[in-house]
């Protein structure tokens, strides 16, 4: 859902040789990954984002298997705490992960990019469609790009919003935050939906808590589709602490930002996760069509164009295949 064109221009040339036909594609990045894992690990251990321990978690075999995992950092610690919170509440409504080992953890042959993906489908009878968690780390000439995402999508038993979190860093002193309850209906056409999920839950107050920070600036996605898909209460900001601001950013992330993310998730858990909605056939068809468009657009425009730049065609194909399965989107 997020495009960071300025960062992908820095991708090292070593990744380009693996997929020359794809390098001319869009230079923006969005990984729903979100893109978008949970058991808390000691700080000394490299993180793998997981909502529950998966039997599929293994380092991929081959000559690049010794490449280190993504480094520990504040954004992943915050994401793990959020995923812990979601898993603790959703419990048996999430099925065990069935992501293959070479997708649960993956890396490119050059050794400068690593990632992890975990998907838990919703159990039969629950309103959960899937919970997807992901992490990406890619070294670039002047640093690294780190993206951590959590998505929790609902199925057609309810029209309640989905949960979206994306944390993207290209520098150690700044981070882009995308946090939203993704609407599944046209808000102008359905003011009761706007009132129920955004006004009565006081979602805008959460946005205000982040925007009042002096280090916060609005982030405006270059994608009009992304802007139209999000709610008017979405938190889309760039928190920039300036030169030498690493410690200040970490304090914000573990403080105000972590608190707001957890409060937004709690709002979603209390008001959306357990909801069911009576819908006629026409309304349900419209809901499913909107969901398909949002999911397809994320994969078609962003992942297929940009993931190969980091991981090459073979690895990216395996990852995108698993995301398509979770999204219920067929390959065109």
């Amino acid at each position: 859902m997020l495009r960071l064109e300025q960062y992908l221009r820095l991708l090292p040339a070593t990744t380009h040789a693996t997929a020359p036909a794809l390098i001319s594609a869009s230079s923006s990045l969005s990984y729903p990954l979100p893109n978008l894992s949970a058991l808390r690990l000691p700080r000394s251990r490299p993180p793998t984002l997981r909502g529950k321990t998966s039997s599929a978690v293994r380092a991929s075999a081959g000559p690049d298997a010794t490449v280190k995992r993504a480094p520990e950092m504040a954004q992943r610690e915050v994401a793990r705490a959020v995923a812990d919170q979601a898993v603790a509440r959703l419990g048996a409504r999430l099925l065990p992960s069935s992501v293959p080992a070479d997708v649960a953890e993956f890396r490119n042959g050059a050794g400068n990019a690593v990632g992890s993906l975990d998907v838990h489908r919703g159990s039969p009878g629950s309103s959960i469609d899937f919970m997807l968690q992901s992490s990406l780390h890619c070294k670039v000439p002047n640093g690294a790009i780190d993206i951590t995402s959590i998505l929790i999508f609902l199925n057609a038993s309810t029209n309640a919003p989905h949960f979206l979190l994306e944390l993207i860093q290209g520098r150690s002193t700044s981070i882009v935050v995308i946090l939203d309850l993704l609407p599944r209906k046209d808000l102008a056409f359905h003011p009761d939906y706007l009132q129920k999920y955004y006004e009565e839950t006081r979602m805008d107050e959460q946005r205000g808590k982040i925007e009042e920070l002096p280090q916060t600036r609005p982030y405006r996605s270059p994608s009009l589709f992304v802007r139209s898909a999000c709610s008017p209460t979405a938190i889309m900001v760039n928190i920039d602490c300036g030169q030498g601001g690493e410690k200040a950013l970490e304090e914000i992330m573990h403080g105000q930002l972590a608190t707001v993310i957890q409060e937004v998730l709690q709002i979603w858990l209390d008001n959306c996760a357990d909801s069911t909605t009576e819908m006629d056939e026409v309304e349900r068809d419209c809901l499913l069509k909107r969901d398909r468009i949002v999911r397809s657009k994320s994969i078609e425009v962003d992942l297929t164009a940009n993931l190969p730049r980091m991981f090459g065609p073979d690895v990216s194909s395996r990852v995108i295949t698993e995301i398509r399965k979770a999204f219920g989107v067929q390959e065109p």
Side-chain angles (χ1 to χ4, degrees), residues 37-41 47-51 72-89 131 133 148 150 152 163 165 167 253-255 257-259 261-263 265-266 269:
S37 316
L39 292 179
R40 184 169 297 281
L41 302 175
T48 300
L49 291 172
R50 289 289 176 267
E72 183 65 274
M73 59 195 309
Q75 67 161 265
R76 294 190 178 93
E77 294 170 353
V78 170
R80 279 199 300 273
V82 171
D84 277 339
Q85 180 183 353
V87 170
R89 173 69 176 267
M131 177 174 176
Q133 304 155 77
T148 306
I150 299 176
I152 314 177
F163 177 83
L165 170 65
L167 303 172
M253 292 184 67
H254 284 297
L257 182 58
T259 299
I261 294 173
Q262 290 176 324
E263 288 180 355
L265 175 61
Q266 193 61 51
L269 290 169

Side-chain angles (χ1 to χ4, degrees), residues 118-277:
D118 198 30
V119 179
H120 293 268
R121 301 307 301 261
S123 60
S126 82
S127 61
I128 306 298
D129 193 2
F130 65 86
M131 177 174 176
L132 183 151
Q133 304 155 77
S134 68
S135 174
L136 288 179
H137 171 76
C138 181
K139 293 180 181 178
V140 294
N142 66 343
I145 301 170
D146 288 276
I147 307 173
T148 306
S149 306
I150 299 176
L151 299 175
I152 314 177
F153 273 38
L154 299 173
N155 57 34
S157 66
T158 177
N159 62 15
H162 306 307
F163 177 83
L164 165 69
L165 170 65
E166 288 189 334
L167 303 172
I168 304 96
Q169 270 185 276
R171 292 183 295 156
S172 60
T173 59
S174 67
I175 187 168
V176 171
V177 180
I178 308 293
L179 176 63
D180 195 22
L181 304 188
L182 282 176
R184 300 170 72 193
K185 300 183 75 171
D186 185 305
L187 299 182
F189 195 63
H190 298 279
D192 54 332
Y193 189 93
L194 178 68
Q195 180 178 357
K196 177 178 180 179
Y197 291 113
Y198 301 97
E199 293 180 1
E200 292 179 359
T201 58
R202 304 169 78 171
M203 276 287 295
D204 218 31
E205 292 183 9
Q206 303 299 330
R207 182 174 59 87
K209 293 175 184 178
I210 298 301
E211 291 187 348
E212 69 184 9
L213 296 173
Q215 299 90 343
T216 297
R217 298 291 181 272
Y219 171 77
R220 187 166 288 111
S221 171
S223 167
L224 295 179
F225 177 80
V226 170
R227 292 190 230 168
S228 67
C230 290
S231 79
T233 64
I235 296 173
M236 303 180 71
V237 297
N238 180 15
I239 302 175
D240 191 344
C241 295
Q243 187 173 359
E246 290 89 351
K247 182 174 177 54
L249 180 63
E250 187 168 343
E251 290 175 351
I252 290 173
M253 292 184 67
H254 284 297
Q256 296 100 315
L257 182 58
T259 299
V260 166
I261 294 173
Q262 290 176 324
E263 288 180 355
V264 169
L265 175 61
Q266 193 61 51
I267 289 173
W268 182 85
L269 290 169
D270 291 342
N271 296 275
C272 305
D274 297 323
S275 70
T276 56
T277 307

